[in-house]
Each structure stands twice: as structure tokens, then as C-alpha cells.
Amino acid sequence: MIDKVKKKIKIFFKRNFLYKSTLIFWIYKYFKFFLPIRKKLTVQLGFAEKYKSKVLSSNDKSKKIIIPLLETNHYQYLQILILAKALELRGADVSVLLCNSMMDGCEIKNSESPFKNQCLTCLFNHKHFIPLFKLNIITLSDFVNEDEILSIKKIAEDVSFDYPKEYYYDGIDIIPMVTESVVRYYYGNVPESLDDIAELRRRHIYTAILNIRTANKMQSVFQPDIIFNN
């Protein structure tokens, strides 16, 4: 009984105080996660950099690898980066793609999130953890300019208003993925208000088109041998 009460108090505290205060959130993350993990990573990656110079002196970079790491909220992003570093140490040309708050719709932005700014965790990890790996970092904003963003937003607004059964962008029907994203956003409990749904559809249509354009440009620029994630 006492454990249940403690759990409820902890949940209440997080949802109503800790995660709604940006300053307290950053302090909490810094001392809870960054300080203890940074020390271990710094030592291990420092050793890795010394090893890297020996390997690359006798190895040409053999494979171009792209890692679309758009979501760095779940701890698995660290495991992916460790694998990415291991590949780089063995001669691969590794580039990591980050969102950098460009996506209006994503898995983290959902109806049950306690965050007012739902990008907080990803931004924290971008700033404090990802630089430790010393990998080549690219972002969605590297592949679209302001005019392209305005164009995508116009398409998203028009499609969300009509919302046809099919809408192909560059050969890909984006309607199924947008519909599934809306259902996931509400964890299946989709509201009856068409206004709410239309706005959410617009955000996810924009995100889908943004990522299709980015994927095409990345293929053209990098011509990767491998694309991987979890």
C-alpha cells in the first residue's frame, strides 16, 4: 500500500511540477543522467579515439553508413551510437541524422506526454551526450530551405483539409502512415472533433513529406552503402 502511494506521488510530481518546469527538468536530467554517464563514456570514447588513429592509418574508409537517429528520447539511441562508433573505428564513414526539432509530428509528441515542450529530452541528449561520440552529425534542416518548408506546409494544409483516401508524394502514399500516426498519438482514443484531428493530420503530413524529401536528398548526396537503426 505504501509503495503504491509513493508511486502515485512520484507520478503526480513528475507530471505536474518537474516536467512542466524547464529549469528543474534540465537540472534533474543533468545530475540524474548526464554526470554519471558522461564520466564512463568520456573514458571509453577517449580510449576509442586513440585506437581509431591506429586502425585508420592502415584502413581506407570502406562503407558509407547513414544512421537516421531522429528520436533520441529512448535509451536505445546510446546503444546505436556505440555501434556507430565501433563501425567508424573500423573504417566506416558514418553520418548521423538528427531531427533538431524540425518534425511537427513524431512518436514522442503524443496526447499523454507530460511535457509542455515535448522536444526537451531529445534536445538535452543532443547537447550533452551525442557530441561525446565525435561522429559526423547532420540534421533535417541541412536538407530543406525556407521556401521548401513553406511549400511543404502548404501541401500539408491542403491535404489535411480534403484528406483523400490516397495521396501520393514522390510515389509514396502518405495517407496510411498519417492515419496510423494520428491513432497512435491518441493511443487509439481518437476524439470526435474534426478540427483537432485535421490539425494533427496537417502536422503529420508535413513530417511525412519533410522526411521523404530529406531521404531523397540524402540518397543523392551521400549515396550510402548502409542505412541502419534499431
Side-chain angles (χ1 to χ4, degrees):
M1 182 66 182
I2 294 177
D3 289 339
K4 288 184 178 180
V5 172
K6 285 183 178 179
K7 187 176 180 180
K8 287 183 179 180
I9 292 173
K10 185 176 181 180
I11 293 172
F12 177 84
F13 176 72
K14 282 186 175 181
R15 290 185 175 178
N16 294 278
F17 181 66
L18 178 60
Y19 288 142
K20 290 186 179 180
S21 170
T22 303
L23 176 60
I24 293 176
F25 168 83
W26 285 88
I27 293 173
Y28 171 80
K29 292 289 269 188
Y30 189 84
F31 287 99
K32 177 71 174 179
F33 299 105
F34 179 62
L35 286 182
I37 296 176
R38 180 188 63 173
K39 185 176 180 180
K40 293 181 180 179
L41 280 177
T42 301
V43 172
Q44 292 170 350
L45 293 173
F47 171 78
E49 285 296 319
K50 293 178 182 178
Y51 172 79
K52 175 181 174 180
S53 61
K54 294 180 180 180
V55 172
L56 293 185
S57 63
S58 60
N59 253 339
D60 291 328
K61 292 185 176 181
S62 57
K63 296 289 184 181
K64 288 185 179 180
I65 300 176
I66 296 292
I67 303 174
L69 201 65
L70 297 178
E71 185 255 293
T72 56
N73 185 76
H74 194 281
Y75 68 84
Q76 281 185 356
Y77 84 92
L78 285 171
Q79 298 170 341
I80 294 167
L81 288 175
I82 289 168
L83 180 55
K85 192 65 182 180
L87 290 168
E88 187 203 41
L89 292 174
R90 286 155 179 81
D93 182 359
V94 180
S95 295
V96 179
L97 176 67
L98 301 179
C99 166
N100 202 27
S101 298
M102 282 286 290
M103 297 193 299
D104 282 352
C106 76
E107 183 178 356
I108 306 306
K109 296 174 180 177
N110 57 70
S111 61
E112 295 189 7
S113 173
F115 297 96
K116 188 174 183 180
N117 178 358
Q118 296 177 329
C119 295
L120 272 178
T121 297
C122 284
L123 289 174
F124 181 92
N125 293 333
H126 288 184
K127 182 177 180 179
H128 293 287
F129 284 115
I130 291 175
L132 296 174
F133 290 86
K134 296 180 181 179
L135 293 165
N136 181 43
I137 301 298
I138 51 180
T139 67
L140 289 176
S141 57
D142 294 330
F143 297 92
V144 287
N145 57 41
E146 288 297 324
D147 290 337
E148 289 174 311
I149 290 173
L150 290 175
S151 174
I152 295 171
K153 286 184 175 179
K154 180 64 170 62
I155 295 172
E157 187 174 342
D158 292 342
V159 175
S160 65
F161 180 78
D162 296 329
Y163 206 66
K165 291 184 178 180
E166 294 179 338
Y167 182 84
Y168 285 85
Y169 185 86
D170 205 10
I172 299 174
D173 184 7
I174 65 173
I175 297 300
M177 68 176 80
V178 170
T179 300
E180 289 174 5
S181 293
V182 170
V183 173
R184 183 180 179 86
Y185 178 90
Y186 291 108
Y187 290 91
N189 188 25
V190 181
E192 295 181 2
S193 171
L194 293 178
D195 292 337
D196 291 343
I197 298 173
E199 169 58 19
L200 190 62
R201 283 173 178 166
R202 182 199 63 76
R203 286 156 49 188
H204 283 276
I205 291 167
Y206 166 81
T207 300
I209 295 174
L210 172 68
N211 284 322
I212 291 171
R213 290 176 72 99
T214 300
N216 288 335
K217 287 187 178 182
M218 288 181 64
Q219 179 64 35
S220 175
V221 172
F222 289 94
Q223 297 183 342
D225 300 294
I226 299 169
I227 300 174
F228 87 85
N229 201 288
N230 57 339

